[in-house]
Structure formats: structure tokens, C-alpha cells
Amino acid sequence: MLKVENKSRKLIKPEIPTPENLKCYNISFLDKLQLPVNEGIILFYESKSMDIRLLQESLSKILVQFYPLAGRYIKNDLSVDCSDEGAEFIEAEALDVELTELVAKTETADQLSDLFPDRYFRVDEASSDPILSIQATHFPCGGLTIAVSVCHRVFDVSSLATFISAWSSASIDINNNSYRTIPSFDLPSLLPNKMDQGGGGTRVTLKQSTAVNVLKRFVFNQTKTIPIPNININGKKPVSGVRAVSAVIAKALIGLDRAKHGRSREFIIFQPVNMRGRTIPPLPEHACGNLAIAALTPPRVGGGDIGIEELVGLMGDAVRKSISHHAQILSPNGVGRDIILNTFKNLGETFQNTDRNVIIFSDWSKFGFYNADFGSGKPVWTATGQQRMRSNLTVLMRNKEGDGIEAWLHLNPHDMLCFQEDHDIKLFTDIS
């Protein structure tokens, strides 16, 4: 087990105090419906010259623009007190392993858990909890990991990627106040969480799982191409590697569910879809907050004859329909709130049906984490962290070269052992 010793812990405040008119940041209606979890990413750097002082100084500069991240979430008020109390920054040291060894041999997320700030695993415990926590961990013979954890009530993964891009740019040129990544915090005004329209007091929330799951990495590389005979499904654009990998995993999970229950049950595939650039009117790429909506495939009985190509088509159709259905969520007439509310009600009913196999895919492949250069080179690897989430959840990320997919799958330990023996999983991954 990896041994990590914390050397220091401090709060990094914005270089310039937040103006009084920005002190209260009310989260959006979509923000308030999110699970009380933290989103997290670890970036692995082989450089021996990463300057911690520079990381902290550039963080202080960039928090001026990302001012809610230096505040504290007030759960009862559905708002952030932008008090400039600061983001948590931990400096730590790994005692018994080299970075190159971790990159080469890590299979499960529990091997990386000590590289995350402990705040990543503790959510909504106190109003004094930082919204943003960072841990920089040194390794004995050089190398550094930067783990970033942020409250999902305030940021989604796209927003996290925006923050990391801005922070890394500021680190490269600490004296430059003109950054390429400029965040927008307009979402709460476009989708306020308190409205006069019908159902204003209704709240829909999705419950977390209390089950103990394993989070394991499966690597799908370019040398083991997934055969999809009709590359243009239904006349649409070519199938992405992420969707092909998702279909392989979904097929294996459907087969696993059939073997467990002795019969074919209904399955639904749930995919969060980033709506930036897809709403009418479109929002900028760097709009911060939560702006991912649910794409659900229709309920379908998972018989043994269902194939990879069919699953690709089901998932693609669900995404296209969901994007079209949610295009108006930011319209000024308030209809967006009702669209979101109905979607979350359907989502809640889906998860509450215990006789249905719900399979979840979250695509992180397009967020550019491998471009995060803090002045000493780009990451050699990126990884996600384990959460108290439902089983059957897969996070999909690109490899460093961009020609393969790393799939991080949550399953209970017994199911994981069975999943690994699936024919297609063994055929298309590095499992021997």
C-alpha cells in the first residue's frame, strides 16, 4: 500500500479580495440537484523541477477569477459565501514508491487514494470545508502528482478542466495577467434555483450508493481495434472510440447481470452529456457550474443476442435526442427548469427500480487534462479517484498518446472478478 506523509497544509487566498458585489454566489437550479460528492483528477509529472511556491502563487492569482472556489458552500442557503477563506493546498511526500512504478503498475484506484486530499472523501461535513482542495505529492527520485478535488455542487468536470487549464497557464507566466482561459459564472442567473413558476419548492435528488465497490482501470489500446462493421451507424458520423469502448463494456455488464439473475432483465444506459455549445443560445466553453444533462436509452431487455453495434446505435440515438430535448434549458421563459425537473424525476425513477440494470458512462476524454503544463512539461498520466457511487459506473479517459481509451469501472469485488473473464473484455484490453 502506498505510504504518503503530509508535510504542510495551508489555505491559499485570492491575490486580490473579491468585490462586495460578488460575495454571494447563488448556485443554479441544476447545481442544487447534484449528488453531494467531489470531482477529482490526479495529474502525474516526471519533472524534478516543479516549484511548489510557484504553484501556490499562480493559484492565488487565478483564484481572483475563480473566486467561488476560495469561498465556502452554505448548504442551507444553496449559495457560496465568497469569503476568500481560501483553497486548501497540501504538500506531501510519497515514502515507498516511485512515480514511474505507479504509472506502470496501477490497476485499481485504491492504490492512488492517498495522493488525493483527504477532503476528497469527506463531503458536506461542515460549512468550513474548502470547496477546492489540492495535494502536491513528491516522489523519492523525482516526479510529482497534483491531485485536484472540487465540490460537485459548484463545479462539474468541464468546469474542473477549465480551472486546471487556467491555473497551468498562469504558472507558465506568473507575471502575465492576461490568461487564455477566462471563466464565466453566468449559469445561476440563466438557470436560477428559486423561481416563481409551478413546482418551485420541489426538490429531486439521486441517492448515493452505500455499497463498497472496486474501481479498476481497463486499457483499450489501438492495437486491439473493436470491429464495428457499419462504421456510419444510421447514416450518422463515424463512431467514436469512446462509444465503441462503452458498447463493449455495456455488453459485458449485460451478460454479467444475466448470469447473476438467471434471466435477462431490462437495462438502461445513462450518459451525462455536456451541453456547453449546444444550448440555444449557446454558452461559452468555459462556463463554470453544472451543465451536463442525462441521456437515457429506452428500457430494453438484455438478451444474449444483443451486439456491440446495436448498443452503439442505442447510445448514439439517446445522446442526440437528449441534446435536442434540452436545447432550450437556458431560455428566458423558465421552461428549462421544468425540462430539467422532469429529466431528474425520470432519472430518479430509473435508479429506484431495483429490477432494472442501470449502466452509467461518464466521458472525460475531451477535457484536455493532458495539456496541463505548469511550466515543466505535460502529464505522463492522468487518473480519476474512487467515489461512493453506484455500481456499473465507468469513467472514460484518453491515454497520453490519444490513441487509446482508459476505462475506470466501479463494480462490487465479486462482479469485478466475473467481468474480467468476459470474452470481449479480454479480447480488446490488456488483460491476458
Side-chain angles (χ1 to χ4, degrees), residues 33 70 115:
L33 297 176
L115 298 178

Side-chain angles (χ1 to χ4, degrees), residues 34-90:
Q34 304 305 315
L35 284 171
V37 298
N38 289 324
E39 300 283 9
I41 188 81
I42 308 179
L43 310 173
F44 292 73
Y45 295 90
E46 288 184 338
S47 172
K48 299 180 181 181
S49 59
M50 195 79 80
D51 187 338
I52 297 297
R53 180 190 56 82
L54 177 62
L55 289 177
Q56 293 176 345
E57 288 183 4
S58 58
L59 177 59
S60 178
K61 290 181 73 71
I62 210 66
L63 283 175
V64 174
Q65 293 186 56
F66 290 84
Y67 57 94
L69 299 185
R72 297 294 181 267
Y73 179 56
I74 311 301
K75 184 163 45 175
N76 292 337
D77 294 340
L78 299 175
S79 68
V80 176
D81 178 12
C82 301
S83 55
D84 295 340
E85 290 185 54
E88 181 180 55
F89 193 104
I90 301 165

